[in-house]
Amino acid sequence: MLIRRKKGWEIAERDVTPESVYKNRRQFLKGIAAGSIGAAAASLPIGRALAQAADPTADLYPAMRNPAYVVDRAITDKSKALTYNNFYEFGSHKFISEAAQAMKIRPWTVKIDGMVEKPIEIDFDDLVRKMPLEERVYRFRCVEAWAMTVPWTGFPMKSLVDYAKPLSGAKYIEMETASQKDAMPGLRQFWYPWPYIEGLTISEATNELAMIGTGIYGEPMPKQNGAPLRLITPWKYGFKNIKSIVRFTFTDKRPVSYWEQLADTEYGFWANVNPKVPHPRWSQAQERLLTTGEEVPTQLYNGYEEYVADLYKDMEGEKLFM
């Protein structure tokens, strides 16, 4: 007999149902009765059926947790992780979670192009069902010296690389965030180098730690956290973890990322965490935990040295930690 133990951060389904869907539950149930949702949805528990109507991938969550990735810190309070966010397309402050709800995430087309066998355009809802979803608990370290520990759901980025079938000459992957001018007021700030661009080497992208995140805390990814898919590289500073991706381009040229374009003396391509290499305007020796405000020592590669240090051998001339 399988006994499912609820995780400490989980809440009841009725509490996670979107308010707009809940308020219209009578119309939803009427649709089930009329057959507009279909027999499969009608057979689901009402709470799950409502959630799936709001997000067609809701049935994929929560995914099985991968026990290989253990973190020696408490998981950050969900309320903190979902309301303290960087997403410059919605504002240069941290409290953009409400503004981000204006972003449209359905339909969402993902483009895979550049040095690949054949360019691909695929709907996110189709792509995610081709990938092996799992949950991993990772540390997350922002360049601004705050940190959190969260359970991400997603798939290894290597699975995406394999799906893309890059040509042998491809060395990098350039990624691009959505640009929705009607929903993203930050795009009107012309002094920023839009669109948001980030990049990884192929070897970084295929490292076992690199993930494409599609969910958090056992639920589909919220908009403010980078819905419907974002990058997760826990050994790098948070600005490398590009959100709301619409394009993956395989190339033999190193991408010039958003923050490099804006301030290349402060933000580099590699952006690996190192407590001994300060930001030009502040120390990186300590980090502030988002839940408690406690300051703790920063770890080299954010504590993931054993997984990634070999990626950067014989690269002494590179600014690996800026």
Side-chain angles (χ1 to χ4, degrees):
M1 178 180 177
L2 178 63
I3 300 176
R4 184 181 185 277
R5 292 182 171 84
K6 183 176 289 188
K7 298 169 185 175
W9 44 263
E10 287 187 64
I11 59 177
E13 288 182 348
R14 65 179 181 275
D15 294 330
V16 300
T17 300
E19 182 180 0
S20 60
V21 175
Y22 178 76
K23 287 181 177 179
N24 289 286
R25 61 195 182 279
R26 292 184 181 176
Q27 289 87 336
F28 177 83
L29 294 173
K30 185 185 295 183
I32 292 179
S36 62
I37 302 300
S43 66
L44 292 172
I46 294 300
R48 184 178 298 177
L50 287 166
Q52 191 163 334
D55 188 318
T57 67
D59 61 299
L60 300 176
Y61 304 88
M64 184 73 70
R65 178 174 293 183
N66 188 331
Y69 305 98
V70 179
V71 176
D72 56 354
R73 293 179 182 173
I75 290 177
T76 298
D77 288 350
K78 178 182 175 182
S79 62
K80 296 284 188 179
L82 269 59
T83 58
Y84 192 83
N85 315 100
N86 283 322
F87 205 147
Y88 271 58
E89 285 83 347
F90 296 101
S92 57
H93 53 84
K94 298 293 185 295
F95 304 102
I96 54 80
S97 57
E98 183 176 347
Q101 303 317 303
M103 181 168 58
K104 182 181 179 182
I105 61 172
R106 293 297 189 285
W108 191 277
T109 301
V110 178
K111 296 182 180 180
I112 301 173
D113 60 15
M115 299 177 69
V116 294
E117 288 186 9
K118 184 179 180 180
I120 299 168
E121 288 193 20
I122 185 170
D123 187 82
F124 166 75
D125 295 329
D126 295 329
L127 175 65
V128 72
R129 293 186 184 277
K130 294 179 182 292
M131 297 295 157
L133 289 193
E134 62 181 47
E135 182 181 82
R136 297 182 184 182
V137 178
Y138 279 161
R139 288 181 289 272
F140 180 95
R141 174 61 156 78
C142 181
V143 73
E144 297 170 322
W146 58 267
M148 62 181 181
T149 304
V150 296
W152 301 104
T153 302
F155 53 87
M157 193 170 182
K158 184 180 185 302
S159 297
L160 180 76
V161 175
D162 292 343
Y163 177 71
K165 295 182 173 60
L167 302 179
S168 60
K171 298 179 180 180
Y172 302 92
I173 306 175
E174 180 178 292
M175 291 156 279
E176 180 181 329
T177 293
S179 295
Q180 298 182 10
K181 294 182 179 180
D182 292 342
M184 297 173 166
L187 297 181
R188 295 194 291 267
Q189 297 175 319
F190 60 88
W191 52 90
Y192 287 121
W194 307 115
Y196 199 106
I197 296 292
E198 261 304 342
L200 296 175
T201 65
I202 295 289
S203 59
E204 289 177 317
T206 55
N207 179 274
E208 68 171 282
L209 289 183
M211 288 183 73
I212 297 297
T214 65
I216 188 172
Y217 292 93
E219 302 167 8
M221 191 74 71
K223 294 178 180 180
Q224 65 270 24
N225 293 92
L229 75 168
R230 60 168 291 163
L231 179 66
I232 302 168
T233 50
W235 70 99
K236 294 178 177 290
Y237 289 116
F239 67 86
K240 288 292 293 186
N241 293 245
I242 183 172
K243 297 178 175 180
S244 303
I245 303 170
V246 293
R247 183 174 60 84
F248 297 87
T249 298
F250 290 77
T251 177
D252 57 358
K253 297 179 176 59
R254 192 166 90 180
V256 180
S257 64
Y258 174 90
W259 283 102
E260 282 185 281
Q261 294 179 60
L262 192 63
D264 61 358
T265 60
E266 297 189 8
Y267 306 99
F269 174 80
W270 301 103
N272 297 315
V273 177
N274 189 332
K276 295 182 179 180
V277 179
H279 184 278
R281 289 180 282 130
W282 58 79
S283 170
Q284 298 289 15
Q286 300 286 113
E287 59 193 42
R288 175 177 56 84
L289 301 183
L290 197 54
T291 297
T292 64
E294 176 188 5
E295 291 197 354
V296 299
T298 299
Q299 301 178 62
L300 181 63
Y301 292 109
N302 202 24
Y304 296 102
E305 182 178 7
E306 65 178 298
Y307 295 94
V308 301
D310 285 348
L311 293 173
Y312 308 105
K313 283 186 175 180
D314 304 319
M315 295 178 64
E316 288 79 7
E318 294 284 346
K319 296 179 179 180
L320 296 174
F321 305 104
M322 187 177 78

